[in-house]
Amino acid sequence: MVEVNARMRRTVLGIPAEFSIGQVARRTGLSVHTFRLYEREGLLTGHLRRDAGGRRVYLEADVQWLDNCTKFRASGMPLVTIRRLAELLSEGLGNEAERLELLREHQQRGWTGSTNSTTAWT
């Protein structure tokens, strides 16, 4: 409960809430191992931040992006495509057409499997 109150207090004061890697893993349903893999693969959109003790800290935007990454992976999107989307998002405005094109190309591949399926692209 203290953790939630501290986050709420930071958000109310206009200071972005920060989360540890364990907190992010719990919120997204990703294992810490998978989360670190995503980090190594360049799938995060923000710059790595650290607290005073040198531990990685993440913002709400990082958590939301990882939720999207989970959905992208469940749809069969390759890591290379997610990485490219992350790069484009990090660049900021002006490349929305390229982002949309990546998503459309993925959609056109016709993924028909579910998140628990071992079926291939059709």
Side-chain angles (χ1 to χ4, degrees):
M1 193 63 153
V2 171
E3 175 186 337
V4 172
N5 289 336
R7 276 189 279 163
M8 287 174 49
R9 212 173 21 255
R10 281 190 229 129
T11 303
V12 168
L13 294 173
I15 303 168
E18 297 176 342
F19 305 95
S20 69
I21 192 169
Q23 291 168 320
V24 173
R26 283 190 296 277
R27 286 198 50 199
T28 61
L30 294 172
S31 69
V32 170
H33 174 76
T34 300
F35 182 53
R36 286 192 173 143
L37 169 73
Y38 281 15
E39 205 172 52
R40 279 192 309 274
E41 290 293 323
L43 304 187
L44 298 183
T45 58
H47 298 287
L48 180 61
R49 291 165 294 281
R50 295 189 182 269
D51 65 11
R55 293 177 296 273
R56 294 176 177 114
V57 293
Y58 305 92
L59 303 177
E60 183 64 33
D62 298 317
V63 176
Q64 291 172 2
W65 172 248
L66 283 165
D67 280 337
N68 287 331
C69 289
T70 301
K71 293 170 186 165
F72 293 148
R73 288 297 294 150
S75 74
M77 184 178 282
L79 291 178
V80 68
T81 304
I82 299 171
R83 182 182 313 114
R84 183 63 187 140
L85 281 170
E87 290 168 356
L88 291 169
L89 285 169
S90 294
E91 291 173 8
L93 299 176
N95 57 29
E96 293 82 359
E98 189 175 350
R99 294 182 215 172
L100 185 57
E101 183 60 28
L102 283 172
L103 294 171
R104 284 188 177 142
E105 287 173 5
H106 176 66
Q107 183 182 32
Q108 289 172 356
R109 286 187 184 103
W111 179 253
T112 58
S114 70
T115 58
N116 297 321
S117 176
T118 56
T119 59
W121 290 95
T122 58

